[in-house]
Amino acid sequence: AEYMGEQQVLMLRALKRALPRVKPENLVDKWKVVRGDLVQVMVGKDKGKQGKVLKCLKKKNVLVVEGCNLVKRHVRGNESQASGIATKEAPLHMSNVALVDPSTGRPTKIGIRFLAEGTKVRVSKSTGTVIPRPEILTVRRRPRGEDHPKDTSPVDVLIRTYFPKKLQAPPKQQTSAS
């Protein structure tokens, strides 16, 4: 066995920690769990724990749950933060969590129904109660910028500035009277 260099060891560790790639055909199309929902972990070392969904990584079929699947990471220090060992949440596969029914406080499967006025809602399969969307979804994670001096004004947007040659009238030909 050859000795591996330090650089190769670091690369292997990073690969082991990285999430596996998900083939496009294995990606979940319709996510019924969203950021801010209360979920319960069904499998693993944190089985039975409940927590809020902090992040949904839809390209990897995983989500981060508050207070569950805690791992320790070595953190490099900078001016604002000291170095040391930090505890943070690691992602869980979405199949390992279940949404908590707000009326019973127990995990449930979710169905999609349409109300009389035509709005789409999530419904608990066990009790039939409507599961509301979390309030946190109404707040944007990255706020939209205010009016910027380089933005185009609404009046200037409506002014037509381009006239294609095909739409213009053909130039008149001069006829010489001889």
Side-chain angles (χ1 to χ4, degrees):
E2 294 180 21
Y3 175 73
M4 292 187 348
E6 186 177 291
Q7 196 72 12
Q8 292 171 327
V9 171
L10 291 174
M11 285 176 54
L12 274 176
R13 285 183 187 162
L15 283 173
K16 285 181 181 178
R17 262 188 275 147
L19 293 169
R21 284 192 177 170
V22 179
K23 293 180 181 177
E25 61 266 15
N26 295 335
L27 285 174
V28 176
D29 293 332
K30 310 265 194 260
W31 277 64
K32 296 176 183 173
V33 178
V34 293
R35 182 172 51 100
D37 275 337
L38 184 66
V39 295
Q40 181 169 331
V41 180
M42 305 304 285
V43 180
K45 64 181 181 181
D46 293 324
K47 182 178 179 177
K49 278 190 181 178
Q50 291 185 357
K52 280 191 175 179
V53 176
L54 299 176
K55 210 184 272 187
C56 289
L57 304 170
K58 294 185 180 183
K59 290 184 180 177
K60 301 277 186 179
N61 283 348
V62 295
L63 39 94
V64 178
V65 180
E66 184 179 29
C68 296
N69 199 20
L70 296 173
V71 293
K72 295 190 183 279
R73 293 282 182 247
H74 291 270
V75 180
R76 189 178 293 161
N78 54 25
E79 298 98 19
S80 63
Q81 177 181 342
S83 61
I85 299 174
T87 305
K88 62 182 251 182
E89 293 97 356
L92 286 164
H93 195 269
M94 66 156 312
S95 65
N96 295 337
V97 297
L99 191 68
V100 173
D101 188 351
S103 61
T104 62
R106 301 186 66 220
T108 182
K109 291 185 178 181
I110 311 154
I112 302 293
R113 300 281 181 269
F114 289 92
L115 296 179
E117 58 266 8
T119 56
K120 187 160 80 168
V121 293
R122 300 178 297 167
V123 177
S124 167
K125 292 240 179 167
S126 57
T127 61
T129 57
V130 173
I131 301 171
R133 286 178 62 82
E135 288 294 321
I136 195 165
L137 291 179
T138 59
V139 180
R140 291 185 61 87
R141 294 185 93 180
R142 286 180 255 161
R144 289 186 176 139
E146 297 298 320
D147 289 336
H148 195 270
K150 290 187 177 179
D151 285 347
T152 308
S153 69
V155 175
D156 292 338
V157 169
L158 298 174
I159 298 172
R160 185 171 174 193
T161 57
Y162 176 68
F163 301 97
K165 291 187 177 182
K166 290 182 180 178
L167 296 179
Q168 292 177 351
K172 293 182 179 178
Q173 295 180 356
Q174 293 181 355
T175 56
S176 59
S178 37

